[in-house]
Amino acid sequence: FAAFEIVCRKALCFSTHPSPAGLTHSASMRSVGEGHVYLKQRFTEFLDTLHRGSINYHKVIEELLQRGEHRLGIDLNALRQFDPDLALGVLREPDDYLVSLKEAVEDVVALLHPKYRSVGNIHVTLTGGFGFHRISPRELLSPFLGKTVSVDGIVTKCSCVRPKVAATTHFCEATGKFVLRDVASSKGMPTGSAYPTRLFETKHEST
């Protein structure tokens, strides 16, 4: 059996948390930014802490860089002992928590080896106990949309890995403007395998 982690992407993104009455858009943006800074700070503190079982992530990152590897495994059990809310957030709200965790790891890497960023990025993976988020392929249902899960199964068929467009630049002849679209974002409408040629926001053909 092969265990692998999947972040189930939403087909459509809707806000499930109503905004407090009287909260302005700018205030909401500030609160989102402050929350991101707080999460990043907490993950940095987690990486700086010597955990039970002698897990020293500074040493782990040092050894990883010396081997020339790019994949860092974060133990959910250690994270849960450090802060249960962080571990729960990584499983239930990966769009926010995993981004902050990755940025915290990149800051630690830059501190240990300032020149390493020019070589390549560090990819964060999750290990340890997933709890109810460890499932079989038949249990991969709609309640896990937008969640982090660990799926146990046998890979019977694997298609070729094709590069996916991360960003496109569109020129609108009607307005004479260029528009940059991030097609790799997990927010907004889903993207297919075809190369995008039309902006969803306008009715004008793009080239």
Side-chain angles (χ1 to χ4, degrees):
F1 285 86
F4 51 95
E5 289 75 42
I6 299 177
V7 176
C8 302
R9 294 301 181 188
K10 310 179 189 71
L12 292 175
C13 296
F14 297 97
S15 175
T16 57
H17 303 285
S19 300
L23 184 63
T24 63
H25 177 69
S26 59
S28 177
M29 292 298 291
R30 286 198 300 271
S31 63
V32 171
E34 291 172 356
H36 176 73
V37 171
Y38 171 76
L39 288 177
K40 183 178 177 181
Q41 179 181 352
R42 289 295 291 160
F43 281 122
T44 301
E45 294 173 356
F46 165 74
L47 295 171
D48 293 340
T49 303
L50 179 62
H51 303 281
R52 186 180 302 175
S54 301
I55 301 178
N56 185 339
Y57 279 102
H58 279 229
K59 184 178 179 180
V60 172
I61 293 175
E62 282 274 10
E63 295 175 350
L64 182 142
L65 297 179
Q66 290 176 2
R67 296 193 300 267
E69 299 178 358
H70 300 267
R71 193 171 297 275
L72 174 66
I74 299 297
D75 188 354
L76 283 174
N77 295 330
L79 182 60
R80 192 172 290 111
Q81 291 175 358
F82 175 79
D83 189 334
D85 291 335
L86 286 182
L88 190 62
V90 167
L91 295 176
R92 293 186 176 180
E93 301 178 45
D95 286 342
D96 297 326
Y97 281 74
L98 287 181
V99 170
S100 300
L101 174 58
K102 189 175 188 302
E103 291 183 0
V105 170
E106 290 175 348
D107 287 348
V108 173
V109 171
L111 179 65
L112 298 177
H113 291 274
K115 296 182 180 180
Y116 188 81
R117 281 190 173 181
S118 60
V119 179
N121 295 327
I122 295 294
H123 303 287
V124 175
T125 62
L126 301 175
T127 63
F130 280 76
F132 290 111
H133 288 249
R134 186 182 182 95
I135 59 178
S136 68
R138 291 188 176 184
E139 297 172 321
L140 191 58
L141 303 174
S142 60
F144 291 105
L145 283 173
K147 306 296 190 294
T148 302
V149 297
S150 175
V151 182
D152 291 336
I154 300 175
V155 179
T156 59
K157 183 178 181 181
C158 183
S159 61
C160 296
V161 178
R162 299 177 180 178
K164 188 174 182 180
V165 177
T168 60
T169 301
H170 302 262
F171 175 73
C172 183
E173 295 181 353
T175 61
K177 296 181 179 180
F178 288 92
V179 180
L180 178 65
R181 180 166 177 261
D182 180 12
V183 299
S185 174
S186 60
K187 305 295 184 180
M189 294 294 293
T191 58
S193 58
Y195 190 85
T197 58
R198 180 190 290 268
L199 285 175
F200 293 124
E201 294 81 3
T202 69
K203 296 181 180 179
H204 304 294
E205 289 288 345
S206 303
T207 57

